[in-house]
Amino acid sequence: MQSQDRHRVVAIDGPAASGKSSVARELARRLGFVYVNSGAMYRAVTWHVLQHGVDPADNPRVIQLIESAPITCDLQNNESRILIDDVDPADRLRDDRVNDGVALVSRIPRVREILVEKLRSYVRDRDLVMEGRDIGSVVFPDTPYKFYIDASPEVRRRRRALQGGRDSIASRDRADSSRSASPLVIAKDADFIDTSNLTIAEVIAEIISRLKLKNLRGLA
Ligand code: DC
């Protein structure tokens, strides 16, 4: 029996700038669930690698560093938080060098193994909305509540620019979808939602109505 048999997980996967962070955070608030941003964990360990002067393409050194890093995953205001060496790197996670390095670090199977275990530990005693790339396909494949949200490349580029993001959506899409370890895929039992012409509120309303159809307990 997997632990999510006792606690519920709503998985929200999708590519960069699909709107999944805004949707997942607000959905969690509405449901009273904890919000977990798995991308922030991949970004935090990438930041740690760079802080130590390690090349993100140097797999053995990256693995050695992450295996020995004191990584603490806890909660702050009902949202996931990651501390490495007791430092919270939240303000640095969107730096250009992290944007550039995260695809290299996140394609390493051993790194994914370590982080997937930490992500799963969040469900031991709470209900979650977790967003990422492989939440419905790998981290919690048994959850019945999984969504894949997407938007056209043009809309995603516009959204990223409005957020002040400087990373290349196209190259990260390519890297996330083509890596061999847990690539970005649409889980076969995920509900697909195209958010190109929807507001955040409309996407959330759509997800909540589908969760009702799936009989998620506790929804009004
Ligand atoms: O969601 P984001 O853009 O902050 O994610 C940053 C990177 O982390 C993304 O390019 C791929 C990686 N990632 C991943 O491999 N698996 C996840 N579950 C979440 C993110």
Side-chain angles (χ1 to χ4, degrees):
M1 184 169 90
Q2 293 209 353
S3 45
Q4 76 258 31
D5 291 340
R6 284 178 288 118
H7 288 280
R8 281 90 47 92
V9 178
V10 179
I12 311 248
D13 289 304
S18 55
K20 63 186 186 310
S21 296
S22 314
V23 166
R25 177 179 276 120
E26 177 58 16
L27 179 68
R29 202 187 60 75
R30 297 267 295 273
L31 296 174
F33 288 13
V34 159
Y35 164 61
V36 181
N37 179 345
S38 67
M41 294 208 187
Y42 287 92
R43 288 176 179 275
V45 295
T46 302
W47 170 83
H48 183 68
V49 164
L50 294 165
Q51 283 299 99
H52 282 74
V54 170
D55 178 353
D58 184 344
N59 291 13
R61 288 199 65 204
V62 169
I63 292 169
Q64 190 185 36
L65 186 63
I66 294 178
E67 278 181 337
S68 61
I71 301 175
T72 308
C73 297
D74 65 5
L75 293 177
Q76 193 171 42
N77 302 324
N78 245 18
E79 299 192 1
S80 59
R81 181 177 69 148
I82 181 165
L83 302 174
I84 308 187
D85 267 338
D86 283 332
V87 177
D88 177 357
D91 293 346
R92 303 264 56 98
L93 300 185
R94 300 269 160 197
D95 288 0
D96 288 345
R97 61 187 194 137
V98 175
N99 284 333
D100 293 343
V102 68
L104 290 168
V105 172
S106 61
R107 72 178 183 186
I108 304 172
R110 178 66 186 132
V111 170
R112 305 198 68 81
E113 200 175 84
I114 292 167
L115 292 190
V116 165
E117 193 188 318
K118 293 193 179 294
L119 289 169
R120 286 185 181 143
S121 72
Y122 272 109
V123 84
R124 272 188 213 126
D125 43 11
R126 13 179 134 74
D127 296 318
L128 310 175
V129 176
M130 186 178 287
E131 59 138 310
R133 301 292 191 290
D134 61 344
I135 310 307
S137 56
V138 174
V139 184
F140 292 111
D142 295 341
T143 183
Y145 314 116
K146 52 179 85 165
F147 297 88
Y148 185 98
I149 72 175
D150 205 347
S152 69
E154 181 45 40
V155 167
R156 291 194 290 121
R157 260 196 305 277
R158 234 177 14 237
R159 284 179 184 162
R160 190 54 118 222
L162 281 172
Q163 291 163 351
R166 293 182 301 252
D167 52 333
S168 159
I169 301 283
S171 69
R172 211 134 57 76
D173 278 357
R174 253 193 321 277
D176 291 346
S177 304
S178 64
R179 66 176 180 229
S180 57
S182 305
L184 174 67
V185 291
I186 307 175
K188 60 180 180 332
D189 51 346
D191 276 23
F192 182 93
I193 300 177
D194 182 346
T195 71
S196 302
N197 298 309
L198 299 177
T199 63
I200 302 285
E202 287 169 334
V203 179
I204 292 168
E206 180 63 31
I207 292 179
I208 288 179
S209 80
R210 296 191 193 196
L211 288 172
K212 282 182 186 160
L213 291 176
K214 292 170 190 279
N215 295 316
L216 182 77
R217 278 175 288 124
L219 281 174

